[in-house]
Amino acid sequence: MSSDHFLADLNEPQREAVLYGDGPLLIVAGAGSGKTRVITRRIASLIDRGVQPWEILAITFTNKAAGEMKERVSALVGEGQVMLATFHGFCARVLRVDGEAVGLSRDYSIYDTNDQVAMVRDICQEKGIDSQSFRPRSLLWAISRLKNDAIEPEEAEAGAMSSFDRVVSRVYARYAEAMASANAADFDDLLLKVVELFEKQPDVLDKYRRRYRHVLVDEYQDTNLIQYRIARSIAEGHGNMCATGDPDQSIYRWRGARVQNILDFEQDFSGAHIVRLEQNYRSTNHILGAATGVIQHNSGRLLGELWSELGDGEKLTVLSCDDEEGEADAVVRLIEEARAEGLSLGEIAIFYRTNALSRGLERALRLHNVSYEIVGAVEFYERKEVKDLLAYLKVLANPKDAVSFLRVVNTPSRGIGKTSLERLRAWALPQGLGPREAARRAAEVPTLSKRPKNALLAFSALLDELERSLEGLPGDTLRAVIEATNFEAYLRDFGGAEGADRLENVGELEAALLAYQQAASEPTIAGFLEETALVSDVDQYDASAERVTMMTLHAAKGLEFPMVCMVGVEEGLLPHQRSMESEEDVQEERRLCYVGITRAQRRLVLSHAGRRALHGQWAPSMPSRFLEELPEVHLQRDDRRSGSRRESSSGWSGGWSGRESGAAVGDEEGAAYSPSADDFLDVDIPRVRQRVRHTHFGQGVVIAVSGVGSKARITVKFDRFGEKQLMAEYARLEPA
């Protein structure tokens, strides 16, 4: 293929990155600068100049990104054998082939978060640790941080300073033993085991160095210590390391990401060539100017100001509201206006720092009959009936998988209760037996009564019978499990819509397995389980759906939308209250804000509210410091606060210190606008039989009033929503 084919539509820095020869290369790619295009074109260029496809290893962070790269590379050079995968996907494949050297057989299980929590809860019970004082998820998070920092259980025990640390080290040590006994790996283990493999088996590392002559790592700023070591250890054999990323978009420090990895690239790879991509193809210049205004307050940057040929576009809208209900309603009305102007719902996204902010927005969207989808809600592979069937497949593929065995041993019900399982466990532990082997020998357990003994023996025989189905296609195995366990009849017993939904999910799982079976060159149950285990929330996002997308700012990384609404841009939310103790934490929150802003293509709304309900009580909120950092020239203001002297303006002077003309009447000049409970004590109480209008519920008639002042309760019969009881302080009723 002629190089002109994949160079024609590139700008000069992009061409430079694509055509650069051997040796270390750092591509500092600003938001929307065509990073994926450059990576895929560089792969095509390498192949064009004689590198074999199977000699290229390209790693990114999501299956979605890896899939997109595969499609683009195939379109350029045809179907090949380029290894395009996530870090976890690549490591999972390495361990399927060479994992026995580090204690994992080819049929090992990959435990997701729920599996891990179940194991930690079991360990707490075994060790007599109060799971209320030391919650399993908190312990698991601490263990994960230790792993990401490459700290072994023995080191954790030696370095424990607090009672929590000491409990973590105890659980960590037992957790490692239990994972080994179950022939299982969690997501952290997938990476750690490969590091261990490369260190213990130099010949295995040498094999991968010779296999992959070129290593390309996307989103390099998000690599943690272990990922960095894996990529570097392979690339050190030849020096052909191409890292792509942007320190301004490093937002995963809380899960071990080290922005220093990209900042130190030149030190790590002597003679590295650096290319900077600063032309943005996604957003208009008002959006980019605002983003630059925020991020320039950070240190450790490698890029200048992003620019675009798409024109200035609309100014950013900064939306100010009295409270979270008013904010939600105002955001939805702006969405409806955009829709009336021709924007589809699928082109609109709402971002928030924490999932808790979605509640009020969901209510407002439903009241206005606006369809929406929450990315990161209960996903398909997390649904109970789906996880149950996957657990059956796991225990068939890996008989040592204790967590999966315990999940399905009484699903559907077989009369094997918690007490029976505890007695089985107490008998099996001293003998070093896992639950599957113990079930085979249930007849030997003296503390078990006849019924659970027979049930365990029958279940063990069922699994032995189902194991024979592994010789066929994966789809046949799943169907055999469904039929042998009467799983569909079990789901029908739920009745009604719930039963129908659960049965539909089973059908969807079978369809997913069939799709995998058709796409894989050598389909296996282990391969399908690996694929499902590594699916993330964003991988399941459907960009073609005609509904508003709602997601956290972290989940929005890598996506783009014509219209973005960022809500809750307030101190304590963005930056988050847990991230305000150090400048390093605040800088990461600023990068998160920057990522959110640069997801918008043409229209961006940043909203904040004067107060929010926390634990059932209203508390005042302050606009985020990041709003103050936005350059005035890129902004227009939509001020919907009831205490404001101005409804809206396309421009304002002053920052967010209260000097703007939106400050409440009577405030001292320069004082910040900070609503308190006193602002809402004097309220108008409507009369019984008076017709009123509510922001969300529309028009109705007051049918009862009890109490006085701001705490009065008003019962209104709304035309569309029936009777609602409202507190006067928050009702915000107006005469109809």
Side-chain angles (χ1 to χ4, degrees):
M1 173 188 295
S2 169
S3 61
D4 292 341
H5 176 71
F6 51 81
L7 294 176
D9 58 347
L10 302 182
N11 62 38
E12 280 307 310
Q14 289 175 331
R15 290 168 66 94
E16 180 185 353
V18 167
L19 294 175
Y20 183 74
D22 291 350
L25 171 65
L26 174 61
I27 304 172
V28 187
S33 62
K35 171 172 59 72
T36 303
R37 178 191 302 176
V38 170
I39 296 172
T40 52
R41 302 295 176 86
R42 179 164 176 78
I43 291 172
S45 177
L46 290 172
I47 295 172
D48 186 58
R49 59 187 177 89
V51 178
Q52 297 300 322
W54 55 84
E55 295 177 317
I56 299 172
L57 170 62
I59 299 178
T60 188
F61 271 79
T62 67
N63 291 319
K64 185 180 180 67
E68 182 181 351
M69 285 187 186
K70 286 178 184 177
E71 289 181 9
R72 294 197 190 189
V73 170
S74 297
L76 289 169
V77 298
E79 292 287 342
Q81 299 177 45
V82 176
M83 171 62 83
L84 284 153
T86 63
F87 266 106
H88 291 94
F90 170 69
C91 290
R93 297 180 199 185
V94 169
L95 294 172
R96 292 281 177 213
V97 177
D98 297 297
E100 290 188 3
V102 287
L104 288 176
S105 67
R106 290 172 180 255
D107 58 1
Y108 74 89
S109 297
I110 300 176
Y111 278 6
D112 63 18
T113 303
N114 289 330
D115 297 330
Q116 293 173 264
V117 170
M119 178 173 279
V120 170
R121 187 178 290 115
D122 196 42
I123 291 170
C124 287
Q125 182 179 349
E126 174 190 324
K127 298 284 187 183
I129 297 169
D130 180 11
S131 59
Q132 293 301 311
S133 302
F134 301 94
R135 295 191 176 277
R137 286 187 181 272
S138 297
L139 295 171
L140 190 60
W141 180 86
I143 291 170
S144 180
R145 289 304 299 265
L146 290 168
K147 288 184 174 184
N148 283 325
D149 290 335
I151 297 174
E152 298 288 340
E154 298 79 12
E155 296 176 75
E157 183 180 9
M161 302 295 290
S162 66
S163 59
F164 180 76
D165 291 342
R166 287 189 285 274
V167 170
V168 168
S169 66
R170 287 175 61 202
V171 174
Y172 184 13
R174 181 68 185 99
Y175 178 83
E177 293 174 0
M179 292 293 284
S181 297
N183 187 32
D186 61 29
F187 297 138
D188 295 324
D189 290 332
L190 293 176
L191 306 178
L192 285 165
K193 290 288 186 182
V194 169
V195 170
E196 182 185 353
L197 175 66
F198 287 171
E199 290 177 349
K200 288 184 174 179
Q201 304 288 330
D203 56 323
V204 174
L205 172 58
D206 187 59
K207 177 179 73 171
Y208 287 102
R209 283 177 171 174
R210 285 184 282 106
R211 169 71 183 268
Y212 298 117
R213 288 175 48 205
H214 284 268
V215 178
L216 298 89
V217 180
D218 188 18
E219 305 288 6
Y220 195 71
Q221 77 282 346
D222 290 330
T223 53
N224 62 24
L225 177 63
I226 306 303
Q227 292 162 336
Y228 162 83
R229 288 171 63 180
I230 291 168
R232 185 174 178 181
S233 62
I234 297 175
E236 276 182 335
H238 41 65
N240 295 326
M241 173 70 160
C242 173
T244 308
D246 176 11
D248 290 344
Q249 299 183 71
S250 179
I251 60 173
Y252 295 113
R253 182 167 169 265
W254 51 275
R255 68 182 188 194
R258 299 169 75 244
V259 69
Q260 207 61 38
N261 289 348
I262 192 169
L263 297 176
D264 291 345
F265 188 85
E266 287 183 274
Q267 296 174 228
D268 293 335
F269 295 91
S270 179
H273 183 69
I274 299 179
V275 178
R276 290 175 171 82
L277 307 181
E278 295 176 334
Q279 181 176 355
N280 178 285
Y281 292 88
R282 174 189 299 153
S283 308
T284 54
N285 282 308
H286 276 311
I287 292 172
L288 297 177
T292 300
V294 170
I295 201 63
Q296 68 184 3
H297 289 80
N298 271 10
S299 58
R301 301 188 60 234
L302 298 178
L303 281 177
E305 185 170 354
L306 298 181
W307 61 277
S308 171
E309 294 180 344
L310 299 176
D312 289 342
E314 295 183 20
K315 291 185 176 184
L316 285 66
T317 297
V318 178
L319 178 64
S320 305
C321 301
D322 281 326
D323 53 37
E324 59 189 29
E325 291 185 354
E327 177 190 46
D329 186 69
V331 166
V332 174
R333 290 185 185 279
L334 288 175
I335 288 172
E336 289 183 316
E337 290 173 13
R339 191 180 185 188
E341 293 171 12
L343 213 57
S344 71
L345 292 181
E347 296 177 303
I348 302 171
I350 301 175
F351 300 159
Y352 33 78
R353 175 63 176 84
T354 64
N355 282 307
L357 292 184
S358 70
R359 179 189 55 81
L361 290 158
E362 287 186 76
R363 182 175 58 197
L365 288 163
R366 287 195 298 267
L367 285 170
H368 288 267
N369 294 315
V370 176
S371 300
Y372 65 91
E373 173 188 15
I374 298 180
V375 175
V378 178
E379 298 296 344
F380 176 72
Y381 290 109
E382 295 300 316
R383 293 167 186 167
K384 182 183 182 304
E385 58 277 7
V386 174
K387 283 190 70 68
D388 288 343
L389 288 174
L390 291 177
Y392 270 107
L393 298 182
K394 284 181 180 181
V395 82
L396 291 178
N398 174 20
K400 294 181 180 180
D401 189 335
V403 169
S404 296
F405 179 91
L406 293 172
R407 182 181 183 95
V408 297
V409 66
N410 201 42
T411 304
S413 177
R414 299 181 176 88
I416 305 171
K418 184 178 179 180
T419 301
S420 297
L421 290 173
E422 288 175 352
R423 289 172 178 171
L424 181 72
R425 172 193 174 88
W427 175 82
L429 273 177
Q431 303 181 66
L433 299 177
R436 176 82 185 272
E437 182 60 29
R440 284 198 180 99
R441 297 169 56 181
E444 303 173 34
V445 183
T447 54
L448 284 177
S449 60
K450 183 176 180 180
R451 184 183 176 193
K453 274 185 183 180
N454 290 338
L456 284 164
L457 291 170
F459 181 61
S460 181
L462 173 67
L463 293 180
D464 290 341
E465 180 66 27
L466 284 171
E467 276 186 0
R468 297 173 187 166
S469 68
L470 293 173
E471 299 173 3
L473 290 170
D476 297 335
T477 302
L478 177 58
R479 177 39 54 180
V481 168
I482 293 169
E483 292 177 355
T485 59
N486 294 315
F487 203 78
E488 289 171 325
Y490 156 68
L491 295 181
R492 288 192 191 96
D493 286 343
F494 284 92
E498 182 181 0
D501 287 345
R502 290 175 182 268
L503 283 167
E504 188 175 316
N505 289 333
V506 170
E508 193 172 337
L509 178 62
E510 288 193 276
L513 200 155
L514 179 61
Y516 158 79
Q517 195 169 285
Q518 293 171 339
S521 55
E522 296 181 11
T524 63
I525 287 294
F528 176 67
L529 291 171
E530 178 182 306
E531 186 174 279
T532 59
L534 299 178
V535 167
S536 69
D537 295 339
V538 176
D539 294 330
Q540 299 181 63
Y541 161 64
D542 182 6
S544 65
E546 181 49 29
R547 48 183 178 258
V548 172
T549 300
M550 297 175 63
M551 62 176 67
T552 64
L553 284 163
H554 283 99
K557 179 80 177 293
L559 302 177
E560 59 184 37
F561 299 88
M563 178 178 178
V564 167
C565 300
M566 285 173 57
V567 302
V569 189
E570 299 154 21
E571 291 291 298
L573 289 175
L574 185 68
H576 197 277
Q577 60 184 1
R578 291 196 302 268
S579 302
M580 296 167 66
E581 296 181 0
S582 71
E583 179 59 25
E584 192 174 11
D585 287 337
V586 171
Q587 289 204 15
E588 171 129 337
E589 292 289 296
R590 186 176 284 112
R591 292 194 293 268
L592 187 58
C593 181
Y594 174 81
V595 165
I597 291 173
T598 54
R599 300 310 95 192
Q601 295 172 299
R602 301 197 301 273
R603 185 175 294 183
L604 176 62
V605 177
L606 304 170
S607 68
H608 69 96
R611 61 175 185 161
R612 291 190 184 276
L614 298 173
H615 309 296
Q617 300 292 323
W618 286 100
S621 299
M622 289 294 295
S624 169
R625 68 191 71 184
F626 302 147
L627 291 177
E628 187 174 0
E629 295 169 357
L630 296 169
E632 184 72 28
V633 67
H634 302 301
L635 309 178
Q636 60 182 355
R637 187 175 189 189
D638 186 349
D639 195 339
R640 305 194 183 194
R641 293 174 296 187
S642 58
S644 175
R645 293 183 303 195
R646 178 183 54 192
E647 288 303 313
S648 64
S649 172
S650 60
W652 44 356
S653 59
W656 283 93
S657 57
R659 293 185 297 274
E660 69 272 13
S661 59
V665 176
D667 284 353
E668 294 181 14
E669 186 175 355
Y673 174 79
S674 178
S676 66
D678 292 335
D679 292 328
F680 310 102
L681 290 177
D682 296 325
V683 295
D684 293 326
I685 307 297
R687 302 182 309 276
V688 174
R689 291 191 297 278
Q690 181 179 348
R691 193 154 182 82
V692 295
R693 180 186 295 106
H694 185 270
T695 303
H696 294 319
F697 301 123
Q699 294 191 21
V701 176
V702 177
I703 59 175
V705 176
S706 61
V708 295
S710 62
K711 302 304 180 185
R713 294 189 177 275
I714 307 167
T715 305
V716 182
K717 185 174 183 179
F718 290 102
D719 298 345
R720 291 181 58 196
F721 296 96
E723 287 188 19
K724 302 287 182 183
Q725 191 175 79
L726 310 170
M727 186 173 286
E729 182 177 354
Y730 310 128
R732 296 160 57 217
L733 295 171
E734 300 174 353

